[in-house]
Amino acid sequence: FSDEYSPSLDEQIEGLITSKIRMTELRGVDGINVSDLTPLQASDVHKKLESSGIFVSAIGSPIGKIKITDPFEPHLDKLKNTCETADTLFASRIRVFSFFIPDGKYDEYKNEVIDRMGKMLDIADEYGVKLCHENEKGIYGDIPERCLEIHKALPEMKAIFDPANYVQCEVDTLKAWEMIKPYVKYLHIKDALADGKVVPAGKGIGNVKFILDDYIRNGGDSVTVEPHLTVFD
């Protein structure tokens, strides 16, 4: 996530090149969320990245990061725009979430979550991109059991495995990994302590090294580094 280096795209590119990193999961561009880029802005971003030899591994969208009770149609329009941006940037993956659930009413909203995510997949399929669900605290798929419900109901929905987010939900990441790894498309490299504080990868209780090693042994080849170790725009 190069926007953790700087909100400025030019400075992000500078930081990526300096760090010898040639891919980014694009999220923030000059203060604009990637899902809000216009076609012209997306084209300009592509030209800058391409001329610098940097590719987009995934679109770090906020799709699905709304309340399950919020209107959905405007969000589908936002997803369509995000898919068009992904197409412009030659990105094959879009990160998504499974909606904030009020007052822990997970059973009550399960079917609505599955229905909405199914509609999201239909749109993504039209554009030829893969949706990848991130386990995020407070959404329906914040623990592995509910993530598994999503993936079993919608096998086309791939998974992003974020160890720190599971730690913050008081989940054993090794148990979560065994449950979710058949669906994992890529990893977020982020770690945390038992109190939820995010720390450098390997310094927390997220079992990052074991999970990364197992991922690679089983053919995994893509990760996003998401340190969250400083305040960023």
Side-chain angles (χ1 to χ4, degrees):
F1 279 119
S2 50
D3 62 355
E4 293 199 15
Y5 182 86
S6 169
S8 160
L9 180 61
D10 290 340
E11 291 181 7
Q12 289 179 40
I13 291 171
E14 177 186 292
L16 289 165
I17 292 172
T18 301
S19 303
K20 299 181 180 179
I21 297 172
R22 292 293 175 175
M23 301 191 86
T24 178
E25 179 163 351
L26 203 66
R27 182 174 56 188
V29 180
D30 297 325
I32 303 171
N33 184 275
V34 66
S35 293
D36 295 324
L37 293 174
T38 66
L40 180 59
Q41 288 171 329
S43 179
D44 288 343
V45 169
H46 171 65
K47 289 173 184 175
K48 279 190 175 184
L49 292 174
E50 185 179 47
S51 65
S52 302
I54 293 168
F55 303 90
V56 179
S57 64
I59 301 294
S61 88
I63 299 297
K65 222 172 187 181
I66 60 172
K67 296 177 183 177
I68 192 66
T69 53
D70 287 341
F72 190 45
E73 288 304 317
H75 211 56
L76 288 180
D77 290 338
K78 191 181 187 77
L79 174 59
K80 290 174 185 176
N81 186 67
T82 306
C83 289
E84 290 174 7
T85 294
D87 185 60
T88 300
L89 297 172
F90 294 93
S92 61
R93 308 164 182 168
I94 297 175
R95 174 190 72 164
V96 298
F97 301 90
S98 53
F99 308 98
F100 293 111
I101 307 299
D103 303 321
K105 297 178 180 178
Y106 297 104
D107 290 340
E108 181 178 333
Y109 287 103
K110 174 184 175 180
N111 291 339
E112 178 69 13
V113 168
I114 300 299
D115 180 64
R116 286 189 172 196
M117 300 197 83
K119 290 176 180 176
M120 288 160 53
L121 284 167
D122 289 341
I123 290 172
D125 188 56
E126 293 176 17
Y127 289 88
V129 295
K130 291 287 185 186
L131 299 187
C132 303
H133 173 264
E134 178 184 345
N135 55 291
E136 169 88 1
K137 188 176 181 180
I139 62 172
Y140 185 85
D142 58 356
I143 61 173
E145 289 80 4
R146 286 193 289 271
C147 289
L148 197 59
E149 288 176 357
I150 292 169
H151 296 304
K152 284 186 173 180
L154 304 166
E156 320 90 79
M157 182 68 70
K158 302 305 177 183
I160 301 167
F161 194 96
D162 188 312
N165 288 354
Y166 277 131
V167 169
Q168 291 173 342
C169 292
E170 300 181 349
V171 168
D172 178 348
T173 59
L174 294 182
K175 176 186 173 184
W177 176 244
E178 289 305 315
M179 292 174 66
I180 303 301
K181 71 178 180 179
Y183 304 95
V184 170
K185 192 72 173 175
Y186 66 99
L187 307 180
H188 277 179
I189 303 301
K190 191 164 98 233
D191 206 351
L193 299 173
D195 63 4
K197 181 184 178 183
V198 176
V199 293
K203 301 296 184 180
I205 61 170
N207 298 295
V208 173
K209 186 180 189 307
F210 176 90
I211 291 166
L212 180 59
D213 287 347
D214 195 44
Y215 173 68
I216 293 169
R217 274 196 303 270
N218 287 280
D221 62 358
S222 182
V223 304
T224 295
V225 179
E226 187 184 17
H228 271 338
L229 298 176
T230 187
V231 175
F232 57 96
D233 292 331

